[in-house]
Amino acid sequence: MQGIDGLHPEKDGLKMKIARRAPILAVIILVLSAAVIIAWPRRHEATFYPIGVIPFRIVAYERTAFQFRDDLEAVTARMAELVAVFNRHDPTSELARMNDKARSVPFEVGTDMLRIFELSRKWHRETNGAFDPSVGPLIDLWKGAGANKRLPTADEIAVARHKAGLDLVTTMGNGKISFTREGANLDFGAIAKGYMTDEAALVLKQRGVKRGLVQAGGDTLAFGDGTFRIGIQDPTAKSGEGIVGTIEMSAGAISTSGSYERFIEIDGERYSHIVDPRTGSPVDNGVVSATVIARTSTDADAIATALMVLGLSDSIDLIKRLERVEAILILRGSDDYDVWASASLVPRLTLGPDWLGRVHLF
Ligand code: FAD
Ligand code: MG
């Protein structure tokens, strides 16, 4: 029945009741939705920065928001612990203190330092000395050269080389490390980030994460079921702004080392941050990037740096010799780039159109 002035008394009364309760209903719906979002296990990801500007990204599947909040807290705490051990640039870190003290007295180190030292020794052996954490004095020399814009002299290089060499470092068997020559010191920059990636994944696994991914700059570790697509940085593009292609990965690690970043520049010439222990000078062998696929991120990180030193031919020999290790090397030729990849990667490797015609398999 139509009322006067178009009013519907009963209907309007009901509408007013609903209108009055609408905010309460909206709040109930919101609270229920939020509860479902928080309590429902799903994929979560977060990025944090334990080392300067290097992004650490963690991805965990099938976690509630509360679980992931605690996962992230546990991982960041463990990363802070490891930075306090391995940050050579911080004089209070365990590594800096060891570099300072072990010159005169054996220095007692913690479990992480001992583990990374033993793994470094292993990769030093396996790579015929190309991976060498004792290049610290040479790194310092070339860093200083970059800052002063002056190339080191042959004498300066010889002096720094005299202080490098793993034979100058001894472990006492009781968790103590000492240097047998004044000026010797260690730099784990080529392996510590990989180790941190493995440790971050271990924390997640210990907390019950069944499937996840940890990415620390150029080091990635995936675990659990399922596959991930990881991009390979284009050495001719800015960091994060171009890829050569992608690799499909199930559980395992992938690390990239490159001369295209962290280089120093003197008189318009670029010099790599990776030093060839055999010459004491930055590598200059045409390899612009080395990507390694291995079981652990620690191994992949160390091997990738070693390939940058070894050059194409010795890198191929090493990769063929190692079990369950694959690699992709990008080389700069006289006027273009070439890609060299393990033949076993073919089913998992997708290259962009610009790179497809330049692949060689080994
Ligand atoms: P990679 O190829 O994996 O490693 C290259 C690095 O390894 C070089 O920079 C050098 O340090 C070392 N190296 C060079 N030649 C060799 C060789 N032949 N064998 C073995 N090692 C070699 N950087 C800063 O500038 N400031 C910081 O405060 C700082 N804090 C850090 C804290 C931690 C805990 C770690 C792990 C790293 C930190 N770094 C810092 C970064 C570090 O100095 C390196 O730049 C970085 O680890 C290089 O990683 P990459 O993957 O780019 O290259
Ligand atoms: Mg490395």
Side-chain angles (χ1 to χ4, degrees):
M1 181 187 114
Q2 177 95 28
I4 31 169
D5 296 324
L7 291 175
H8 307 256
E10 301 95 30
K11 270 196 201 163
D12 287 346
L14 185 65
K15 271 188 196 163
M16 275 166 70
K17 268 188 200 162
I18 291 175
R20 264 201 310 272
R21 287 180 188 158
I24 301 166
L25 282 172
V27 169
I28 291 171
I29 290 167
L30 260 172
V31 168
L32 283 176
S33 318
V36 167
I37 288 169
I38 289 169
W40 205 266
R42 62 186 176 89
R43 177 190 184 279
H44 291 271
E45 79 166 79
T47 302
F48 60 104
Y49 296 84
I51 307 174
V53 295
I54 302 171
F56 276 52
R57 181 173 157 247
I58 63 169
V59 179
Y61 288 79
E62 294 294 306
R63 301 297 276 170
T64 68
F66 286 129
Q67 284 173 325
F68 186 67
R69 182 199 59 194
D70 294 347
D71 294 341
L72 183 60
E73 201 178 296
V75 171
T76 48
R78 178 70 177 129
M79 294 302 100
E81 225 172 75
L82 291 174
V83 170
V85 175
F86 295 121
N87 188 357
R88 190 168 171 265
H89 307 272
D90 171 3
T92 65
S93 74
E94 189 180 324
L95 180 58
R97 284 184 291 117
M98 179 186 79
N99 280 338
D100 184 36
K101 297 266 172 11
R103 287 164 192 169
S104 41
V105 283
F107 185 85
E108 189 164 347
V109 296
T111 322
D112 290 308
M113 184 81 81
L114 212 52
R115 277 169 72 196
I116 220 162
F117 180 71
E118 292 306 340
L119 285 163
S120 294
R121 216 156 38 182
K122 171 190 164 186
W123 287 114
H124 180 256
R125 226 176 16 246
E126 295 273 359
T127 63
N128 284 327
F131 173 84
D132 186 348
S134 74
V135 290
L138 289 158
I139 306 285
D140 294 339
L141 176 69
W142 283 95
K143 257 201 179 149
N148 299 324
K149 301 285 173 203
R150 180 185 70 80
L151 282 177
T153 63
D155 276 353
E156 286 170 330
I157 295 174
V159 168
R161 277 189 72 192
H162 186 64
K163 298 175 193 163
L166 265 196
D167 52 336
L168 306 178
V169 189
T170 52
T171 40
M172 322 291 284
N174 53 358
K176 289 186 176 170
I177 288 180
S178 68
F179 302 141
T180 54
R181 187 168 294 160
E182 178 67 30
N185 68 70
L186 294 171
D187 177 317
F188 293 117
I191 190 169
K193 205 145 53 62
Y195 182 76
M196 289 172 75
T197 306
D198 283 333
E199 288 298 302
L202 185 65
V203 169
L204 292 176
K205 284 189 235 174
Q206 282 171 343
R207 290 188 41 79
V209 179
K210 298 277 185 292
R211 182 186 177 206
L213 183 98
V214 178
Q215 212 157 20
D219 302 301
T220 303
L221 184 92
F223 62 92
D225 295 336
T227 54
F228 301 87
R229 278 207 165 271
I230 310 292
I232 306 160
Q233 169 73 33
D234 177 347
T236 65
K238 271 193 185 163
S239 183
E241 289 186 9
I243 57 167
V244 169
T246 59
I247 294 190
E248 191 179 287
M249 290 200 37
S250 43
I254 177 166
S255 284
T256 298
S257 264
S259 286
Y260 52 87
E261 42 188 31
R262 295 184 207 283
F263 49 81
I264 58 165
E265 217 160 347
I266 302 172
D267 292 336
E269 281 287 320
R270 284 182 178 187
Y271 298 89
S272 172
H273 64 133
I274 297 167
V275 171
D276 186 338
R278 300 165 297 192
T279 62
S281 292
V283 294
D284 182 21
N285 53 21
V287 180
V288 287
S289 86
T291 298
V292 169
I293 294 101
R295 258 180 354 96
T296 72
S297 193
T298 313
D299 291 351
D301 192 7
I303 302 167
T305 307
L307 300 192
M308 293 296 301
V309 174
L310 288 171
L312 180 63
S313 169
D314 288 347
S315 289
I316 292 176
D317 287 350
L318 174 67
I319 296 299
K320 284 187 166 177
R321 192 156 41 81
L322 297 172
E323 264 176 45
R324 293 173 69 187
V325 177
E326 297 158 304
I328 301 162
L329 291 134
I330 300 181
L331 269 89
R332 189 178 36 236
S334 48
D335 53 14
D336 220 333
Y337 291 86
D338 277 313
V339 180
W340 289 77
S342 299
S344 55
L345 283 174
V346 170
R348 289 171 285 146
L349 180 63
T350 308
L351 289 173
D354 291 349
W355 296 89
L356 208 52
R358 310 186 202 166
V359 190
H360 310 263
L361 300 174
F362 61 85

